[in-house]
Amino acid sequence: MRIIPKANTLRKSILIYRRIRHRKGHGVHSPFVFNLITKVIEEKSPYYTFHEIELLRKRLSFKEERITYPDRHHKGKLRTRSIARIVAQEAINPKHGALLFRLTNYFKPEHILQIGPSMGLSALYLSSYRTGVNCIALEHVKEFATISQWVYQQAFRNPVTLQVGAYEEILPPVLSSLKQLDFVYFNTATETFENEWIFKTCLEHIHARTVFVIKGIKSNKEMRELWQQVLARPEVTVTIDLYSMGLVFFNPKLHKRNYKVYF
């Protein structure tokens, strides 16, 4: 008879509980959040644009050219990997990419900002819900930016403006150039030393309909602490904890509350 539980039993039990407890808008009384859960977060219908973006991912998966880039986990060291492997590890997965598309398709932002390395795919998910969208992507790893630039050159709907450099140098002028900040995707879980500054800097340009999506809110201690700071901010009203990412809203007409949803 097994005395010691199998590995990951506790984690799997927690995920099962989250799935049962936090799904299909169970216990949610806010019409705004209920509609967001049922019509966006849990909506499963495929869109034609998903296939086009995933074809680009497939093309990247065949690129064996090797790139040397700074190791973000060991300062001062370099790593060398193929483009295919980098994309497999760094690019947004199709499930999360589809959610980004559904969110922008639902809220219809005009000005979208993505911060952090993405291999270009997440920016396409964010901006392809219609034509005429202004999407700016910021990356500080210039070697990764070459991959993103190739993806943006294949863009089939909206051009994406790519800015490369240290965030403290490129973020303020980009925010100043935007007429308004409608939607921001923070893919900066590994940028622990800059995350708080990035978040606060973007806060200076929000309006009532701005949406923030923060990836990796439980991925490390620094991100968990950042998420708690987000929850405590007076500008923040509704937040939705999807475990893998967090959604942040600033509409003062909404009652302040953090919701947890299995995704």
Side-chain angles (χ1 to χ4, degrees), residues 18-26 37 42 261-262:
R18 286 174 62 91
R19 177 178 293 181
I20 296 172
R21 178 66 180 86
H22 305 296
R23 67 190 298 269
K24 295 189 180 298
H26 178 78
I37 292 172
E42 295 190 345
V261 179
Y262 175 82

Side-chain angles (χ1 to χ4, degrees), residues 197-214:
W197 175 83
I198 292 171
F199 176 77
K200 289 181 177 179
T201 302
C202 289
L203 271 183
E204 299 172 4
H205 298 265
I206 62 170
H207 55 82
R209 297 183 306 280
T210 300
V211 179
F212 282 4
V213 178
I214 304 176

Side-chain angles (χ1 to χ4, degrees), residues 18-39 41-42 240 257 259-262:
R18 286 174 62 91
R19 177 178 293 181
I20 296 172
R21 178 66 180 86
H22 305 296
R23 67 190 298 269
K24 295 189 180 298
H26 178 78
V28 174
H29 301 291
S30 164
F32 170 81
V33 178
F34 182 83
N35 286 333
L36 191 60
I37 292 172
T38 57
K39 296 181 180 180
I41 295 173
E42 295 190 345
I240 301 180
R257 184 172 175 181
Y259 296 86
K260 293 183 179 180
V261 179
Y262 175 82

Side-chain angles (χ1 to χ4, degrees), residues 158-196:
N158 288 305
V160 177
T161 302
L162 177 63
Q163 298 275 359
V164 184
Y167 295 135
E168 62 269 21
E169 296 177 2
I170 62 177
L171 180 57
V174 165
L175 291 173
S176 298
S177 69
L178 290 171
K179 295 179 181 178
Q180 60 183 22
L181 194 56
D182 299 328
F183 196 105
V184 184
Y185 174 53
F186 298 84
N187 183 29
T188 57
T190 58
E191 320 303 331
T192 54
F193 58 95
E194 287 187 299
N195 266 320
E196 184 177 352

